[in-house]
Amino acid sequence: MIEIEELTYCYPNSIDPSLKNISLTVEKGKFILIMGSTGAGKTTFSLCLNGLIPQLLEGNLTGQVSVAGKNVGKTKVQVLSKVLGLVQQDPETQIIGRTVEEDTAFGPRNFLIPFEEIKQIVNQTLEKVRLKGYNHRLTEELSGGEKQRLAIAGVLVMEPEILVLDEPTSELDPIGRSEIYATLDDLRWKKDLTILLVEHSIEELVHKVDEVVVLNQGEVVWRGVPTELFRNIPLLLQWGIKPLPVSQIGWDFYEKGWISFAEIPLDIPSGEDMIRTLLPKYRHRHTNTNMNTCADTHSQGLALGLAQGHTPGQRKDLISPQKLHLPKKEIVVQVSDLIYQYNSDQPVLRGVNLTIEAGEFVALIGQNGAGKTTLAKHFNGLLKPTRGEVIVGGRNILQCDTSDLSKTIGYVFQNPDHQIFSVTVEKELEFGLKNAGFRGEEIKERVDEVLQYTGLDRYRSVHPYSLGKGERQMIAVASILVLKPKVLIIDEPTTGSDWAGVQTMMALIRKLHAAGTTIIMISHDMDLVAQYAKRVIVIKEGDILLEGTPQDVFSKEQILLDSAIIPPQLCRLSFRLKDILGDVTFIESSEFTAMFEREKRGCL
Amino acid sequence: MLIEYLPGDSLLHRLDVRTKVLGFLVFIILSFLFQDPKFQLLLVLSTGLLAFWIKIPLRKIWGMLLPLIPIILSIILITGFSFAPERFDRVSSQAILFYALPGDRLGATLGGFLMGTTFIFRLFSMMLASTVLTLTTSIDDFTQFFHKMKVPVEVSMMLTTAIRFIPTLDKKRRQILEAQKARGTKFNQKGIIGSIRSYLPIMVPLFINSIMMANSLSMAMLNRGYGLTRTWTSMREISFAPRDYWAMTFVLLLLILGAYLRFGLDLGIL
């Protein structure tokens, strides 16, 4: 279906090629996953497939690309669109019509397909992307997931043989994401589509895709079946791809020689199997070394042994600072009976009560539209309560202005491009300080300090928009950090970043937290929440549903699923191993390894 | 758009968009035929009746009118003083009511004041008429109208995309505003330079974001076959119903009647 020979492409104003010597053939009906870190050339690659490169974007292209027998360089983009459909990253800019029907019909209308026929295929397509009956809904009122599916519908309605999707789920919550994947899976089986998907997260895709192609700095560095790649953790890390947590456990075990490479699990059931088959083995071995206590241990006993062991101690450490030092800690955010509604609609927040103390690391989680951001915007006075009270740093937000609060409460928004407006990184950082009334030397000192701290020093006099999204996100954080806020609210700090970017960002946040900054993080990435946050608050339909340590919250799997949250993989694994682990929920892969290590040591 | 489509099922809603546009044109012609405020008042009343019929949101109209009151008053004053007696045909209109300055200078003519009132009525009835038109006609109808009038596809395409992106851009604007507020931007700096400067942090990201959006929108449009042909399938064929012919006949009769009153009987001039 797709044949690429020696493709090299260089953007008009850059020196280094973005794609180097790519040769690739894709057969009909395959589901291919394209991975790689930011800047690896994934988006550029997808633009080469439908002819936007070189037809719309100029630059230097050599090599051959042909799709379904058509030479991409010589066939009009519009004609190619009948063969190969490309769904780009941002659904917002791909929706052209005012209503769902009008938008979906856009493609076929350009091909002058008769009205009656259009009506028919529009309805069929909408059904395929699970938007049946949405025909007359206004596109602006759709949710993120619905918009994304509409964007897919707009391309699908042209009945292409190949579908290329560039990170279609980056801004969706877990439910929205699995809906998109389910849609793709459907399409693939029903329509025999060839699918190329660019994606960062792999958890739900492992068993769906046929092949993985890894791009690194514009070159194809790996190609093969997904199981081979995802089991090979060091390889993944080398290319900046996030490994699956269960595979991480498997890899640890493999390194210790406990299991073979092929036994490294790729999903929760196989992870469970692995642990279940390994445990008795170890017990047997201990029996052989005639340790009676161990030999008699049933799984329940094991759980008890665990409960008295290392892990619960850790958990106590996590809980105790809040519980024991309660009176001493300064309260930074105090929310009582907060109700908020836009105009006369349904309230978005319905009586939220919440206290956040200095030095906490809180994560707000919940489905898209649950009210997380609405709640957080009250913390720095961007929104004022309809009823109830919000006290921040001892001041009622009704009486102060957001710009005054900005010195104590920093708020980093999701999209860095909404705030960057200066010509250099340095000037961008100075802006907040000037607003706060700082002058001369003080500004310079602080900017220097933060540039060092965030690793942006080398970009000091670079234009922000010439940098990648990850760096822009960092600039956004840095521009808030110069104000040295006591509380930092971060809304989705890692959306669209690759694994390396995520880790840099989270390392920075952890460093800030260690230095005493109170962190309030809004995130869909449950793995991050489990790993970094000390307290998790689940928001559902404008109220707090659950709160507690990540271990506590994520162990309540059913309640979370009801509010459209999928707990981290390892928590779900622990949940399945309840009979062995007892009530303990593990959130780091090392905890599983440690458990086995202890098992061994305890018995020897 | 200032006033959005108000879904409904009145006769005005059901009339074909071409009929309505014709009616609107005739109305404009009529209102420019007559200078006499009495005739204008009649027009205001009749549009008022139409507005009342489709249950126009009165509050909105008031909201639009209220800030205009000083302008209304000054228009009457200015026309009162600036229209010299020679400009009127009727003797009664040439009458000078009083002089603003000693020595018989800057006289206020009766005709001038009447003319001012006419301007106000005209303004008011036009506003009502265009409101009635936009409230009872959907965007789709307007694009259909362009299509029928052989306006190129690009124009109606531009129109729908623009309307589609108004809420999106407005959302962007709000998000940018919030992001900058959170960094302590103050929007009440003094002076023209100050206020321009304080809006830079909003305008620059807004422009950059719009350009980026336009860029990917153009890609998305090509992706979906835009520009392959110079035209596209029309989604809804509008057609005249008997009521449209009746309405058009009525409208044209009004036009003829108006012309007869004005030119045949010489009525309605000052």
Side-chain angles (χ1 to χ4, degrees):
Chain A
M1 280 314 267
I2 301 176
E3 275 175 55
I4 300 164
E5 275 171 54
E6 299 281 311
L7 170 69
T8 301
Y9 174 72
C10 189
Y11 276 103
N13 295 317
S14 66
I15 308 151
D16 296 322
S18 301
L19 297 174
K20 284 176 236 162
N21 287 322
I22 293 186
S23 295
L24 198 71
T25 37
V26 177
E27 291 155 39
K28 191 175 166 59
K30 292 275 184 201
F31 190 164
I32 312 265
L33 182 62
I34 297 168
M35 306 197 77
S37 56
T38 316
K42 296 171 304 223
T43 301
T44 314
F45 179 68
S46 65
L47 293 179
C48 285
L49 290 177
N50 82 331
L52 282 172
I53 291 177
Q55 298 183 36
L56 181 72
L57 301 169
E58 287 161 358
N60 197 357
L61 181 126
T62 55
Q64 282 287 328
V65 184
S66 78
V67 171
K70 291 191 169 71
N71 185 329
V72 171
K74 294 189 180 111
T75 318
K76 270 186 161 183
V77 178
Q78 294 97 320
V79 175
L80 274 173
S81 66
K82 283 293 263 181
V83 188
L84 183 140
L86 171 67
V87 181
Q88 293 165 279
Q89 273 182 29
D90 183 9
E92 194 70 61
T93 53
Q94 292 176 76
I95 296 174
I96 298 158
R98 274 172 52 260
T99 64
V100 171
E101 189 177 78
E102 190 184 309
D103 183 66
T104 318
F106 182 76
R109 286 176 80 181
N110 287 319
F111 285 93
L112 299 178
I113 292 167
F115 173 60
E116 283 307 319
E117 220 172 295
I118 291 183
K119 233 176 159 121
Q120 227 175 358
I121 49 171
V122 163
N123 285 334
Q124 280 167 10
T125 313
L126 287 179
E127 191 171 343
K128 272 181 216 141
V129 298
R130 304 175 185 200
L131 287 175
K132 195 184 175 187
Y134 277 58
N135 298 41
H136 298 291
R137 292 268 290 270
L138 288 180
T139 48
E140 69 195 73
E141 288 166 3
L142 299 179
S143 74
E146 287 163 350
K147 278 186 182 165
Q148 195 60 262
R149 275 178 285 153
L150 179 60
I152 296 177
V155 165
L156 212 57
V157 76
M158 327 260 288
E159 302 181 316
E161 295 163 60
I162 307 162
L163 192 60
V164 182
L165 302 106
D166 191 356
E167 296 187 31
T169 64
S170 59
E171 289 185 24
L172 300 183
D173 58 16
I175 301 291
R177 201 159 62 216
S178 40
E179 274 176 352
I180 300 279
Y181 293 151
T183 309
L184 288 183
D185 221 28
D186 276 5
L187 286 174
R188 189 193 165 197
W189 297 120
K190 279 187 206 141
K191 289 204 57 185
D192 200 22
L193 266 176
T194 310
I195 300 177
L196 274 81
L197 174 66
V198 177
E199 192 60 276
H200 283 306
S201 66
I202 47 178
E203 191 181 329
E204 293 163 79
L205 293 169
V206 180
H207 297 298
K208 290 189 174 134
V209 300
D210 299 315
E211 250 186 275
V212 185
V213 173
V214 181
L215 290 179
N216 194 32
Q217 301 192 331
E219 286 177 280
V220 175
V221 286
W222 198 89
R223 184 181 184 191
V225 286
T227 48
E228 280 292 311
L229 177 69
F230 297 144
R231 286 193 173 119
N232 199 338
I233 308 289
L235 212 55
L236 287 178
L237 293 178
Q238 188 191 329
W239 293 322
I241 302 168
K242 182 188 173 183
L244 287 170
V246 283
S247 312
Q248 181 74 52
I249 302 175
W251 180 260
D252 291 348
F253 286 14
Y254 167 70
E255 276 200 314
K256 291 192 191 298
W258 296 348
I259 55 170
S260 68
F261 183 75
E263 284 175 304
I264 294 176
L266 293 167
D267 53 23
I268 296 172
S270 58
E272 187 187 350
D273 286 349
M274 173 186 75
I275 287 175
R276 283 193 195 280
T277 46
L278 270 184
L279 265 181
K281 251 195 219 166
Y282 273 86
R283 228 170 285 141
H284 271 294
R285 203 194 287 169
H286 308 322
T287 326
N288 291 344
T289 53
N290 67 51
M291 295 307 291
N292 288 332
T293 38
C294 272
D296 293 335
T297 323
H298 291 286
S299 38
Q300 265 182 333
L302 190 67
L304 271 178
L306 260 178
Q308 288 152 9
H310 180 59
T311 325
Q314 253 188 348
R315 293 189 58 210
K316 235 176 231 159
D317 285 346
L318 288 174
I319 302 167
S320 54
Q322 296 167 20
K323 295 237 160 111
L324 293 180
H325 308 297
L326 195 69
K328 287 183 204 163
K329 287 274 181 177
E330 180 197 346
I331 293 174
V332 286
V333 177
Q334 167 95 52
V335 178
S336 30
D337 299 321
L338 172 63
I339 294 177
Y340 182 79
Q341 58 190 96
Y342 292 101
N343 303 328
S344 56
D345 301 338
Q346 283 278 309
V348 188
L349 296 176
R350 327 161 169 255
V352 176
N353 284 295
L354 177 67
T355 308
I356 297 173
E357 289 159 11
E360 276 200 270
F361 193 139
V362 181
L364 296 177
I365 63 173
Q367 204 183 357
N368 279 347
K372 303 171 303 250
T373 305
T374 311
L375 176 62
K377 278 181 188 166
H378 280 88
F379 299 162
N380 76 334
L382 277 175
L383 295 175
K384 309 282 183 195
T386 309
R387 247 176 295 152
E389 216 177 33
V390 179
I391 311 271
V392 175
R395 296 198 286 175
N396 190 328
I397 59 147
L398 276 179
Q399 271 123 43
C400 33
D401 204 45
T402 304
S403 58
D404 294 332
L405 282 169
S406 68
K407 285 169 224 166
T408 42
I409 316 276
Y411 198 130
V412 183
F413 284 88
Q414 195 176 344
N415 189 345
D417 299 338
H418 288 165
Q419 60 168 82
I420 295 175
F421 74 103
S422 307
V423 287
T424 66
V425 175
E426 189 178 13
K427 287 210 169 109
E428 190 64 41
L429 265 57
E430 284 170 4
F431 177 68
L433 290 170
K434 282 181 183 156
N435 284 330
F438 289 98
R439 291 282 164 266
E441 275 304 298
E442 176 87 40
I443 290 186
K444 208 181 162 313
E445 266 169 41
R446 284 198 176 198
V447 168
D448 284 348
E449 192 187 335
V450 171
L451 282 175
Q452 292 282 346
Y453 199 79
T454 51
L456 288 170
D457 208 21
R458 60 204 153 123
Y459 302 125
R460 179 185 281 266
S461 23
V462 172
H463 197 293
Y465 281 102
S466 66
L467 297 169
K469 180 110 182 190
E471 279 99 20
R472 294 210 296 276
Q473 189 77 53
M474 196 53 103
I475 294 170
V477 176
S479 71
I480 297 294
L481 289 185
V482 287
L483 293 164
K484 295 189 179 160
K486 289 195 196 114
V487 182
L488 187 64
I489 306 167
I490 303 201
D491 198 342
E492 298 285 357
T494 58
T495 314
S497 306
D498 60 7
W499 181 230
V502 170
Q503 284 182 314
T504 324
M505 182 59 76
M506 291 316 292
L508 175 75
I509 294 174
R510 186 171 259 179
K511 199 159 80 173
L512 284 167
H513 178 241
T517 313
T518 311
I519 307 282
I520 300 171
M521 177 172 88
I522 300 174
S523 184
H524 284 314
D525 190 330
M526 294 306 143
D527 288 331
L528 290 185
V529 169
Q531 260 183 52
Y532 291 90
K534 298 289 189 296
R535 182 169 152 212
V536 178
I537 296 171
V538 185
I539 313 264
K540 189 193 182 188
E541 287 161 13
D543 205 354
I544 294 177
L545 180 73
L546 272 178
E547 71 180 299
T549 61
Q551 285 89 343
D552 285 344
V553 168
F554 288 131
S555 64
K556 306 207 168 63
E557 195 175 14
Q558 201 48 52
I559 306 179
L560 292 179
L561 285 179
D562 289 343
S563 47
I565 293 169
I566 301 173
Q569 205 176 28
L570 294 184
C571 297
R572 275 179 286 156
L573 180 58
S574 320
F575 190 72
R576 279 175 165 243
L577 293 165
K578 223 175 177 145
D579 53 318
I580 300 173
L581 300 175
D583 281 333
V584 185
T585 305
F586 287 159
I587 50 176
E588 302 245 17
S589 62
S590 57
E591 290 180 86
F592 282 94
T593 324
M595 176 180 96
F596 276 86
E597 289 279 340
R598 249 189 336 272
E599 227 15 66
K600 248 161 112 185
R601 243 182 285 125
C603 296
L604 280 169
Chain B
M1 200 163 271
L2 209 57
I3 291 188
E4 278 163 46
Y5 174 58
L6 188 81
D9 199 33
S10 68
L11 176 62
L12 274 176
H13 280 89
R14 276 178 288 145
L15 277 181
D16 191 285
V17 55
R18 286 163 290 179
T19 316
K20 281 187 271 191
V21 173
L22 178 79
F24 185 65
L25 279 177
V26 166
F27 173 79
I28 291 176
I29 296 170
L30 282 178
S31 98
F32 277 99
L33 276 181
F34 301 106
Q35 293 176 327
D36 194 324
K38 277 177 287 194
F39 287 81
Q40 293 295 337
L41 188 65
L42 198 71
L43 287 172
V44 172
L45 286 180
S46 50
T47 45
L49 216 64
L50 285 180
F52 186 72
W53 184 19
I54 61 155
K55 298 195 186 65
I56 206 166
L58 279 174
R59 237 171 233 278
K60 254 191 185 164
I61 302 297
W62 262 125
M64 283 163 63
L65 266 185
L66 225 53
L68 292 179
I69 286 178
I71 299 175
I72 290 173
L73 288 177
S74 53
I75 286 178
I76 296 183
L77 281 176
I78 289 168
T79 51
F81 285 106
S82 62
F83 275 67
E86 308 84 70
R87 293 186 58 174
F88 299 106
D89 297 335
R90 302 264 141 92
V91 185
S92 61
S93 307
Q94 292 174 354
I96 288 169
L97 296 175
F98 58 89
Y99 292 98
L101 295 174
D104 287 359
R105 272 183 302 170
L106 209 62
T109 53
L110 176 67
F113 282 120
L114 290 177
M115 196 57 137
T117 319
T118 295
F119 284 165
I120 302 306
F121 281 151
R122 201 177 273 162
L123 194 80
F124 193 55
S125 56
M126 295 257 197
M127 215 174 77
L128 275 174
S130 55
T131 310
V132 168
L133 180 67
T134 50
L135 279 173
T136 56
T137 315
S138 66
I139 307 282
D140 291 337
D141 279 345
F142 278 119
T143 37
Q144 283 303 310
F145 179 73
F146 286 132
H147 181 72
K148 287 283 171 198
M149 295 295 117
K150 305 275 179 239
V151 175
V153 178
E154 286 87 347
V155 175
S156 45
M157 178 66 211
M158 242 151 52
L159 184 87
T160 36
T161 340
I163 290 167
R164 141 85 183 90
F165 276 93
I166 287 172
T168 311
L169 281 177
D170 190 53
K171 197 170 142 204
K172 277 263 178 240
R173 185 191 57 83
R174 276 201 313 270
Q175 285 173 330
I176 292 168
L177 192 73
E178 283 179 345
Q180 302 296 28
K181 266 191 186 167
R183 295 167 79 193
T185 318
K186 293 188 183 74
F187 293 102
N188 42 11
Q189 290 184 29
K190 293 221 172 69
I192 293 174
I193 307 259
S195 61
I196 289 173
R197 185 186 299 229
S198 68
Y199 276 91
L200 271 184
I202 307 293
M203 296 318 288
V204 174
L206 193 59
F207 276 128
I208 292 173
N209 276 283
S210 310
I211 292 168
M212 293 200 289
M213 279 167 69
N215 231 335
S216 46
L217 178 69
S218 67
M219 287 193 199
M221 282 165 66
L222 281 177
N223 262 342
R224 293 168 68 179
Y226 180 74
L228 185 71
T229 47
R230 295 282 330 254
T231 159
W232 63 3
T233 312
S234 174
M235 279 305 272
R236 202 161 56 91
E237 281 303 321
I238 46 173
S239 56
F240 287 121
R243 58 172 172 271
D244 289 302
Y245 295 113
W246 286 117
M248 276 194 274
T249 320
F250 178 67
V251 164
L252 289 174
L253 280 178
L254 275 184
L255 182 66
I256 293 166
L257 177 72
Y260 176 69
L261 287 177
R262 170 68 179 77
F263 300 108
L265 303 177
D266 250 6
L267 286 174
I269 48 168
L270 290 172

